[in-house]
Amino acid sequence: MRAADVLENATWFLRRVDPAQEPGDALAAGIPARIPGTVSGALRDALGEDAVAGVLAGDGPETVWEFRTTVTTAGGPHRFTSEGVATVSELLVAGRVAHTSGSAFAPWEVTAELPAGPCEVVLRVLPTTGMAVPRKPRARWLSPLVPDRSYRWRRTPLVGAIDWPGALPVLGPWGGLRASAVPAPPSSSPSEAGSARPGSGTASRPPGAPAARTRVLEDGRGLVTVGFAGTGSGGVADSVRITVETAPRSGAGEVVAERTVTAAEAAGCATVALTVPEPRLWWPHGAGEQPLYRVRVRTAGSEHVTRVGFRTVTAEARDGDHRGLALRVNGVPVFVRGAVWTGADPFEVAADPQRTRAMLLRLRAGGATMLRIPGTSCYETEDFHRLCDELGVMVWQDVALGPLDAPDDPDWRAGLRDEVHALASRLAPHPSTAVVSGGTEVVQAPVLAGRPAEQWVADVLVNDIPGAVGEAGADVVVVPSSPCSDEGLDAARDAWAATFARWQGAEAPAAGERAASSSGVPRSSPVDAADGVSHYFGVGAYGRPIEDAVTRGVRFAAESLTFGVPPEPAVVRAQFGTDAPLDHEPSAERWREGIAHDPGAAWTFSDTTMLYVRRVFLDRDSDPDAGLAVPARPAPERALTDHARRLEYERAALAHVFQRTLAQWRSRDSTCRGALVLSAASTAPGAGWGVLDVTGRPTAAWYGMRRACAPVAVSFVPAGGDGLPVHVWNDAPEPLSATLRLTVATVRGGCQAPLDLPVTVPAHGELVLRADLADGTFRDLDNAYGFGEREYDAVSAVLLSGTGEVLARDAHLSGGPRRYDPVDPGLDAHWVHTADGAWHVAVTATSLARFVALDLPVDAPSETPDTPVAEDGYVHVLPGETVVIPVSGAVTATVRAATTVRALETQPAPVRAG
């Protein structure tokens, strides 16, 4: 069994040591802390959220933070291990320095002698700038995000050095700290075992536990390999029993493979292989189940358990007709959607697992099948990756490199390669790990800085990093950087394939052919939307119409749809004390602090959101994505005279833009095969980037994303003069037989009789029907031709199961969302309590109601499983139609009494008791 961790129940305190601090400073005496944890997390827990930034801003060049505890043991050598401490750190055991590190990301292991009885353990976090770095060669370009050019040498999370809302430096043992007794001291002295190269943090890779890997063979069998390191000449010191068993969520598992290797057989054997005849495959959420297995490795004195899964993730072949990144999971093409992960807790890397689970569940409910951990952040904990395995959320992991000129220095590169090998080794057993990238905008930065093409892609991105991933036996798709070109994808793939083949003991495959430009002029740019991997901001920061997302030929957008996204009204009231923060002080100043922005820009992403408010509602009489015949005419701006109403228009516009853009990309006629929005969650109160707000609650953007991205979804994608197609998607591994009910509302009020159409949507597939032709005639449902006055007001599509259950719903506003002089829709809503104990709100309207949403009370500071949340919102309700909105969480009598329903251009109304 695993040796006991003597620090597991330790009581930690954090204290600040600074020659300049005031006498009697409370931080000098110490505050409670936890490990794994960070300085910002401890400060938040002790002093409150509002105090953290001010305390950290007061750190001087000699400020040291100390995590301190005392443990009582029988003494003797103990092995200390950590997945990472940010950034320059010292471990002191019984007053002696046992280890030093200069990297936040390199895991380390060191053995130190503990005296019998009480012993003080101190982890000191030193100033990051205290470690000298080379001044030459100078960086070939500078980044507007990170003005301090020394950061290109430092292995530290860049997020604390970038002026983003809520961004805090990561300081401390985010990767935890363990200590367990060992039978004998190491052969080298503690200082030798724990010394570090500047900027690397580790002198050698720790031997580690048995490394379990899985693969799916071509004949469908599963292969489990267990590698041993650091135990005897052959890798195995004693006889070993290995079993592979299923890992159900409860109860004992079933053994599906086992093998015993005797000590004699183990001589000269570093890897043991087992075959699982018919493994159940792991799938992303919606496309199948997520079965997991346990690999148990038992020796005479220990047992090590690794949880694994069986799946294949591959990139489709690229040629002259097929460009960019497209993924297949278990051989099936997938449309990947999700978000850039910004952490579950703005103050902690090792967030509370319950908070992480709640946020992952919320993103999954929004249709996310992938999260990308960017190179500007810190690596995530094992809790996060285990949860992604369980929930069917794929992970794209960037190596912690940002838009800086990576040093071409042998020692620096060797340290990075060790770091990446350790990271890939940790992530390889997780079936959710799908993509490993060399960093964020590492290639884009020199391109946009105007550097020559030979400087665009550093060798470390296409050789060192992919090679280290392959050496670790990680069966993933590798990407040189996000974004990148096809040429970079091919080079990284070949480097990974060569080392992965050697890890398997096979012959390296031949490198793919890459034709060079005969003119010497690059054939494409690494920032092209249709090539390689893109960061697509056409719809969003660059203010282009929604159809640009299709006409640009976006293939895989690893970042997209950047907006300032306001929280829901109840959250705004709870955080700022008003519905209209900009109309009052001091709430206006706090609101501005939380607005998403890029350093140095003269505009914010709330300005971007307002641009689309104008396009959708003010500047012209149509959707920005439909070529309608009705000419534009000016509209009064009376609706935006106060901040509260402006926020309502922003929410409506965002729900519309997110749904329409993502639905266009998901369409089978689109070239797009992946879209990750920026970002998963905002990092400060106010209008951040997140589809979830800083508390983890849904925003209008999340509701739009959900309608387009749910595993079973329905969405209208207007095609101008080519009619009004309605798309039905089914991610499941079985065909879906259902009924599609189309209802059309006219401008005269009321609706035409519903039309029920039997449909069968193929497995992992899509069905497209023309709503304008569904009754056997042509109806200009979107007023695309503009012959006379508009006849239709809206059309809804409801997908019904054989039992009448609503599987998905969408509604399209004919001619676009804007309406002149809208009438009171006569909204009415009441609570419905079903037999299974669930709560819903049934909403009806006498006239067309646009962008209908519930406003639920906010009590808890962040979302928990008990937080009441509306599972749909910003829907359109046709006259006489009943739309049922599920509400999850603890729907108490107090919650029901305080809930209201609202629509655009209407006053909120209470939801009646059922």
Side-chain angles (χ1 to χ4, degrees):
M1 305 297 290
R2 193 175 188 183
D5 176 14
V6 301
L7 297 176
E8 183 176 9
N9 298 313
T11 299
W12 290 93
F13 291 90
L14 174 69
R15 101 183 247 264
R16 182 171 63 183
V17 180
D18 191 331
Q21 66 193 10
E22 295 292 331
D25 188 333
L27 293 175
I31 59 175
R34 64 183 178 91
I35 290 182
T38 59
V39 172
S40 57
L43 292 173
R44 183 268 311 273
D45 295 342
L47 307 178
E49 293 184 0
D50 293 342
V52 177
V55 171
L56 293 177
D59 280 3
E62 299 181 67
T63 300
V64 174
W65 292 94
E66 294 183 344
F67 289 81
R68 308 177 73 95
T69 193
T70 299
V71 295
T72 301
T73 70
H78 281 65
R79 180 175 294 116
F80 290 78
T81 60
S82 177
E83 289 297 332
V85 179
T87 288
V88 181
S89 63
E90 293 178 340
L91 174 67
L92 285 76
V93 178
R96 297 182 57 189
V97 176
H99 178 77
T100 62
S101 173
S103 170
F105 308 118
W108 50 264
E109 177 177 292
V110 65
T111 300
E113 190 78 19
L114 269 65
C119 174
E120 186 176 49
V121 177
V122 180
L123 190 61
R124 307 183 76 226
V125 180
L126 309 174
T128 302
T129 55
M131 176 174 281
V133 298
R135 298 178 63 86
K136 293 184 179 181
R138 295 171 64 89
R140 293 169 293 178
W141 63 85
L142 300 178
S143 168
L145 289 181
V146 189
D148 186 345
R149 66 187 69 187
S150 75
Y151 272 85
R152 74 190 190 103
W153 291 92
R154 304 187 189 283
R155 301 303 301 134
T156 188
L158 293 177
V159 63
I162 303 175
D163 178 22
W164 284 333
L168 296 169
V170 180
L171 300 169
W174 67 268
L177 183 65
R178 285 179 49 87
S180 56
V182 294
S187 58
S188 59
S189 69
S191 60
E192 291 171 336
S195 61
R197 288 187 297 266
S200 72
T202 181
S204 61
R205 297 171 187 154
R213 303 286 186 269
T214 60
R215 290 171 51 217
V216 179
L217 303 176
E218 291 184 1
D219 60 8
R221 292 178 302 153
L223 180 68
V224 177
T225 59
V226 179
F228 299 88
T231 54
S233 59
V236 180
D238 304 305
S239 62
V240 178
R241 179 174 174 77
I242 305 172
T243 59
V244 182
E245 61 190 49
T246 58
R249 305 226 170 149
S250 62
E254 175 189 358
V255 175
V256 294
E258 57 185 331
R259 181 176 174 184
T260 299
V261 181
T262 67
E265 292 172 328
C269 174
T271 303
V272 177
L274 299 84
T275 301
V276 178
E278 295 179 347
R280 296 177 60 213
L281 299 183
W282 183 96
W283 290 88
H285 172 67
E289 298 180 345
Q290 294 80 44
L292 300 170
Y293 293 78
R294 297 188 191 97
V295 179
R296 295 186 184 272
V297 181
R298 300 183 181 93
T299 62
S302 68
E303 178 183 79
H304 185 81
V305 180
T306 304
R307 199 177 67 172
V308 299
F310 292 92
R311 59 94 182 106
T312 65
V313 178
T314 57
E316 293 185 2
R318 290 174 291 275
D319 54 34
D321 297 323
H322 301 87
R323 300 167 62 193
L325 179 67
L327 297 181
R328 288 177 177 255
V329 178
N330 300 324
V332 175
V334 292
F335 172 70
V336 177
R337 62 272 192 186
V340 177
W341 178 249
T342 45
D345 185 340
F347 298 89
E348 278 288 9
V349 175
D352 181 340
Q354 291 303 314
R355 180 168 179 161
T356 303
R357 176 182 286 275
M359 190 169 288
L360 291 176
L361 284 170
R362 179 55 52 199
L363 291 167
R364 189 182 75 164
T369 60
M370 176 179 279
L371 295 173
R372 172 174 158 251
I373 303 173
T376 51
S377 67
C378 195
Y379 298 141
E380 266 293 350
T381 64
E382 280 297 289
D383 283 337
F384 170 84
H385 292 284
R386 292 190 190 103
L387 286 170
C388 289
D389 291 343
E390 293 176 13
L391 300 178
V393 178
M394 294 184 290
V395 175
W396 171 314
Q397 175 70 66
D398 280 1
V399 171
L401 290 174
L404 301 170
D405 186 10
D408 188 17
D409 174 82
D411 285 344
W412 189 91
R413 289 177 62 170
L416 180 67
R417 193 176 184 104
D418 284 350
E419 173 194 316
V420 173
H421 185 281
L423 174 68
S425 296
R426 180 163 70 91
L427 300 186
H430 294 282
S432 58
T433 306
V435 177
V436 175
S437 160
T440 298
E441 299 181 355
V442 189
V443 175
Q444 173 181 293
V447 173
L448 299 186
R451 305 306 301 167
E454 58 268 21
Q455 294 183 11
W456 290 353
V457 184
D459 190 58
V460 69
L461 302 178
V462 292
N463 282 310
D464 296 16
I465 291 174
V469 174
E471 287 175 354
D475 191 2
V476 296
V477 172
V478 291
V479 171
S481 175
S482 179
C484 65
S485 65
D486 277 1
E487 185 177 358
L489 285 175
D490 293 342
R493 174 205 60 201
D494 292 345
W496 170 85
T499 56
F500 187 71
R502 288 196 295 270
W503 177 85
Q504 293 177 291
E507 184 177 347
E513 294 185 5
R514 296 191 290 273
S517 170
S518 58
S519 65
V521 176
R523 293 181 299 164
S524 63
S525 163
V527 298
D528 289 354
D531 198 62
V533 173
S534 68
H535 286 185
Y536 172 77
F537 302 130
V539 176
Y542 299 138
R544 298 195 173 100
I546 295 179
E547 66 264 20
D548 182 76
V550 173
T551 59
R552 286 279 301 281
V554 176
R555 185 61 163 170
F556 198 113
E559 290 184 12
S560 64
L561 298 183
T562 49
F563 292 88
V565 184
E568 290 297 277
V571 177
V572 173
R573 287 193 296 272
Q575 292 177 337
F576 297 93
T578 173
D579 284 326
L582 283 180
D583 293 345
H584 310 278
E585 290 293 351
S587 60
E589 181 179 356
R590 290 190 61 231
W591 180 267
R592 294 186 189 98
E593 290 173 353
I595 294 176
H597 65 271
D598 270 338
W603 50 272
T604 71
F605 286 90
S606 283
D607 297 330
T608 300
T609 303
M610 272 305 300
L611 172 63
Y612 285 86
V613 169
R614 293 181 180 282
R615 286 191 169 207
V616 173
F617 295 109
L618 300 177
D619 287 350
R620 58 178 181 172
D621 191 26
S622 69
D623 261 357
D625 55 314
L628 305 182
V630 177
R633 78 179 201 243
E637 295 193 23
R638 62 181 181 276
L640 305 183
T641 54
D642 65 78
H643 191 215
R645 300 216 65 171
R646 169 180 160 177
L647 290 179
E648 278 294 88
Y649 273 88
E650 289 183 2
R651 295 180 184 110
L654 288 168
H656 175 78
V657 170
F658 269 71
Q659 178 182 350
R660 187 58 49 77
T661 305
L662 289 165
Q664 287 182 157
W665 277 338
R666 193 178 182 183
S667 165
R668 68 187 180 192
D669 297 327
S670 167
T671 60
C672 186
R673 291 287 295 278
L676 307 180
V677 303
L678 182 69
S679 61
S682 297
T683 53
W689 281 300
V691 294
L692 305 180
D693 64 35
V694 71
T695 74
R697 293 178 173 87
T699 68
W702 181 89
Y703 289 114
M705 176 179 172
R706 177 188 173 277
R707 276 192 289 279
C709 294
V712 175
V714 173
S715 191
F716 290 96
V717 180
D722 290 338
L724 185 61
V726 56
H727 296 247
V728 186
W729 291 285
N730 171 38
D731 281 354
E734 305 86 17
L736 174 64
S737 295
T739 297
L740 186 68
R741 176 169 294 169
L742 296 175
T743 304
V744 176
T746 70
V747 296
R748 293 179 296 277
C751 294
Q752 297 178 349
L755 178 65
D756 286 355
L757 303 172
V759 296
T760 299
V761 191
H764 305 302
E766 176 184 5
L767 178 71
V768 182
L769 295 172
R770 286 276 296 272
D772 55 310
L773 302 176
D775 68 348
T777 67
F778 171 73
R779 293 180 290 178
D780 190 8
L781 294 179
D782 207 23
N783 199 36
Y785 288 91
F787 296 144
E789 292 296 319
R790 180 166 54 85
E791 183 177 355
Y792 304 103
D793 211 9
V795 55
S796 69
V798 182
L799 189 68
L800 301 168
S801 71
T803 61
E805 176 189 2
V806 176
L807 302 177
R809 179 189 180 276
D810 189 29
H812 176 72
L813 300 176
S814 302
R818 182 176 169 187
R819 292 291 183 271
Y820 294 106
D821 302 319
V823 300
D824 184 347
L827 267 185
D828 184 65
H830 66 273
W831 286 100
V832 177
H833 198 203
T834 58
D836 61 359
W839 286 96
H840 304 74
V841 172
V843 183
T844 61
T846 56
S847 299
L848 176 66
R850 298 172 299 147
F851 301 101
V852 175
L854 300 180
D855 201 16
L856 293 145
V858 171
D859 292 324
S862 61
E863 185 180 356
T864 70
D866 292 333
T867 302
V869 174
E871 297 297 330
D872 203 357
Y874 300 92
V875 300
H876 310 308
V877 180
L878 276 59
E881 187 181 33
T882 299
V883 175
V884 177
I885 299 176
V887 179
S888 60
V891 184
T892 64
T894 302
V895 168
R896 297 195 298 276
T899 299
T900 60
V901 63
R902 68 191 196 281
L904 195 64
E905 304 272 11
T906 67
Q907 292 297 315
V911 177
R912 296 184 290 106

